């Protein structure tokens, strides 16, 4: 600024001098002199040293019990964001993106519960001057979770009809958030989708039966998902399982016969007895969901039971459960004359067996060749079609509806 003032003074002196030196020649003639114009030498404006960009970070510094879903927002006025970094206590960075206009940033996913985060942001104004801001906050630790549990054991081998069934102890309100938090990794690229039965159960399956040998891993990322107001999913885990060989059995109630097809080849035709009139077996595709070498079966709770028709059997052998309502394929030693001849059960599929079970019986051989997840389809029964929620019977729902 001092140099500018000096230059202005000098310019003024030059103008005055030119005006005073207008004179004639020695010969007495006169010569007209062209005056020199004055130069503007106003002082230059000072350059700013502080950025005009104003950063704003939410949540505010020191915030506690922050909900993990979309809490972080970074914005700037009078500038453009250049850097935004959000990290947890271990230095793991939260992915996010700056908006196209450069004035805001949001994370690409929710944060984790019970975690401290640090936010560092920078922005530049029109002159390139940079402003910085930092903040830290802690997300809430849930008081309760929804208690999710499924029917999968790590590393287990299942049949080609296996359906993954996930049940919650609390009603789920945000079903879309739950579905987003569950992904399936399949070795053959099979697409797996979920279908809800009420507010506490969601089942998952591919469009068609699994391909034998497929390796599957379920990725649960629900711990930080708010499934209902103030209730969180409660689990972050990976569960691998494998699909074994294919075994699909068809029970023809009219013929009193079960045909067993393994890997595309018929391996057995087994005489059976199915549900008698009034206790007709379900039609439709079912899946073996539980297996027990011996189990107890009772008529208690079975509708339609009349006096004298009650039963309570505590040692039913080779029992393979198909439905929640109590349909089994099981060994039968008390009605062996019915096998292949007539229907005598209360809805189950009976297969000839010894009193306490024999590995060499039809029931024993079928049991020992079976897996949880194997398919059993019942046809030609006078009973109704099994509901999709009853056991793992979701294969009775077409893919478009599923």
């Amino acid at each position: 600024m001092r140099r500018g003032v000096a230059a202005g003074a000098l310019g003024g002196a030059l103008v005055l001098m030119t005006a005073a030196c207008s004179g004639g020649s020695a010969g007495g003639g006169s010569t007209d002199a062209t005056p020199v114009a004055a130069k503007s030498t106003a002082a230059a404006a000072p350059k700013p040293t502080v950025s005009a960009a104003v950063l704003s970070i939410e949540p505010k510094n020191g915030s506690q019990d922050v909900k993990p879903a979309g809490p972080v927002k970074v914005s700037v006025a009078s500038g453009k964001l250049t850097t935004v970094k959000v990290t947890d206590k271990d230095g793991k960075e939260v992915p996010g993106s700056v908006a196209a206009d450069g004035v805001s940033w949001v994370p690409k996913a929710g944060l984790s519960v019970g975690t401290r985060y640090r936010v560092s942001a920078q922005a530049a104004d029109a002159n390139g001057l940079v402003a910085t801001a930092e903040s830290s906050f802690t997300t809430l630790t849930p008081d309760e979770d929804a208690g999710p549990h499924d029917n999968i054991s790590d590393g287990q081998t299942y049949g080609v009809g296996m359906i993954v069934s996930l049940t919650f102890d609390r009603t789920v309100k945000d079903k879309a958030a739950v579905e987003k938090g569950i992904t399936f990794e399949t070795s053959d690229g099979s697409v797996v989708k979920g279908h809800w039965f009420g507010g506490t159960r969601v089942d998952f399956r591919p469009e068609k039966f699994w391909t034998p040998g497929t390796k599957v891993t379920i990725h649960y990322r629900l711990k930080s998902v708010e499934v209902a107001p103030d209730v969180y999913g409660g689990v972050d885990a990976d569960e691998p399982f494998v699909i074994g060989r294919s075994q699909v059995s068809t029970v023809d109630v009219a013929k009193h016969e079960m045909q067993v097809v393994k890997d595309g080849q018929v391996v057995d035709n087994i005489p059976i007895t199915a549900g008698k009139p009034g206790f007709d077996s379900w039609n439709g595709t079912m899946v073996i969901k539980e297996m027990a070498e011996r189990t107890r079966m009772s008529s208690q709770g079975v509708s339609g039971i009349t006096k004298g028709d009650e039963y309570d059997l505590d040692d039913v052998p080779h029992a393979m459960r198909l439905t929640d309502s109590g349909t089994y394929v099981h060994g039968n030693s008390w009605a062996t004359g019915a096998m292949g001849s007539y229907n005598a059960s209360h809805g189950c599929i009976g297969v000839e067996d010894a009193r306490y079970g024999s590995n060499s019986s039809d029931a024993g051989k079928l049991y020992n060749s079976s897996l949880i997840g194997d398919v059993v389809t019942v046809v030609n029964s006078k009973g109704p079609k099994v509901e999709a929620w009853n056991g793992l019977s979701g294969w009775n729902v077409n893919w478009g509806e599923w």
Side-chain angles (χ1 to χ4, degrees):
M1 290 177 66
R2 292 190 181 93
R3 286 197 300 272
V5 171
L10 181 58
L14 289 172
V15 171
L16 293 173
M17 186 182 296
T18 302
C21 293
S22 179
S25 64
S30 66
T31 301
D32 293 333
T34 303
V36 178
K39 221 181 241 189
S40 175
T41 55
K47 289 187 177 181
T49 58
V50 178
S51 177
V54 179
L55 284 158
S56 175
I57 299 176
E58 296 180 13
K60 301 300 183 184
N61 187 44
S63 296
Q64 303 286 327
D65 295 327
V66 175
K67 286 192 173 186
V72 184
K73 296 179 181 178
V74 180
S75 59
V76 62
S78 303
K80 302 285 187 181
L81 290 170
T82 56
T83 303
V84 177
K85 191 174 183 180
V86 181
T87 54
D88 63 15
K89 60 183 179 60
D90 298 320
K92 183 180 179 181
E93 192 166 344
V94 176
S97 58
V98 176
D101 59 8
V103 299
S104 63
W105 179 97
V106 292
K108 291 183 178 179
L111 307 181
S112 298
V113 294
T115 304
R116 184 176 179 82
Y117 288 93
R118 180 182 177 185
V119 184
S120 298
Q122 292 186 342
D125 64 11
N127 295 315
L129 292 176
V130 175
T132 62
E134 290 189 351
S135 178
S136 65
F137 63 92
T138 304
T139 54
L140 61 80
T141 298
D143 292 329
E144 57 183 335
D145 63 52
H149 48 280
D150 68 12
N151 59 339
I152 297 296
S153 296
D154 285 1
Q156 187 72 32
T157 299
Y158 296 102
V160 296
M162 189 59 183
I163 290 177
V164 177
S165 186
L166 178 66
T167 303
F168 295 87
D169 293 338
R170 302 286 299 274
T171 299
V172 172
K173 297 296 184 181
D174 194 343
K175 294 178 179 179
V178 169
E179 292 178 33
K180 187 176 179 181
I182 303 172
T183 56
F184 281 74
E185 181 183 349
T186 60
S187 62
D188 66 347
S190 295
V191 175
V192 179
K193 293 184 178 181
H195 185 86
W196 287 88
F197 298 105
T200 60
R201 173 182 167 187
V202 56
D203 286 7
F204 295 88
R205 69 168 176 87
E207 181 176 3
K208 300 177 181 179
F209 294 151
W210 297 96
T211 301
T214 301
K215 296 179 180 179
V216 185
T217 300
I218 314 170
H219 300 291
Y220 290 115
R221 297 295 181 266
L222 297 176
K223 187 175 181 179
S224 301
V225 175
E226 190 175 16
V227 302
D230 299 321
V231 179
Y232 286 77
V235 60
D236 283 351
D238 298 323
E239 286 190 340
F241 65 93
V242 178
I243 301 300
R245 82 292 173 272
S246 171
Q247 182 169 296
V248 177
S249 301
T250 301
V251 175
D252 191 326
V253 172
K255 293 181 178 179
H256 317 295
E257 181 180 83
M258 173 188 284
Q259 184 177 84
V260 182
V261 177
K262 184 174 288 186
D263 293 326
Q265 301 295 319
V266 176
V267 295
D268 212 346
N269 288 288
I270 305 172
I272 59 95
T273 186
K276 62 186 178 181
F279 298 94
D280 299 282
S281 301
W282 299 110
N283 282 297
T285 298
M286 291 163 270
V287 173
I288 297 173
K289 61 173 294 185
E290 298 172 7
M291 297 177 66
E293 291 189 0
R294 281 196 296 273
T295 193
R296 181 179 180 179
M297 294 186 181
S298 170
S299 60
Q300 185 176 3
V302 178
S303 61
I305 293 289
T306 58
K307 189 173 182 179
D309 201 28
E310 305 96 334
Y311 61 91
D312 188 357
L313 306 170
D314 62 359
D315 55 1
V316 178
H318 297 130
M320 296 179 284
R321 188 165 192 156
L322 300 179
T323 69
D324 299 335
S325 60
T327 305
Y328 284 78
V329 175
H330 63 76
N332 184 312
S333 63
W334 55 91
T336 56
M339 306 302 164
S341 300
Y342 62 92
N343 296 318
S345 82
H346 291 87
C348 290
I349 310 302
V351 183
E352 188 170 358
D353 206 344
R355 175 71 175 81
Y356 295 103
S358 169
N359 287 333
S360 61
S361 68
D362 283 346
K365 288 186 288 187
L366 177 64
Y367 183 91
N368 290 325
S369 72
S370 297
L371 295 170
I372 291 175
D374 282 348
V375 178
V376 178
T377 298
V378 177
V379 298
N380 296 325
S381 172
K382 293 183 179 179
K385 188 175 183 179
V386 65
E387 297 282 355
W389 56 262
N390 196 356
L392 304 178
S393 303
W395 296 106
N396 297 288
V397 178
N398 66 64
W399 185 240
E401 183 182 350
W402 188 268

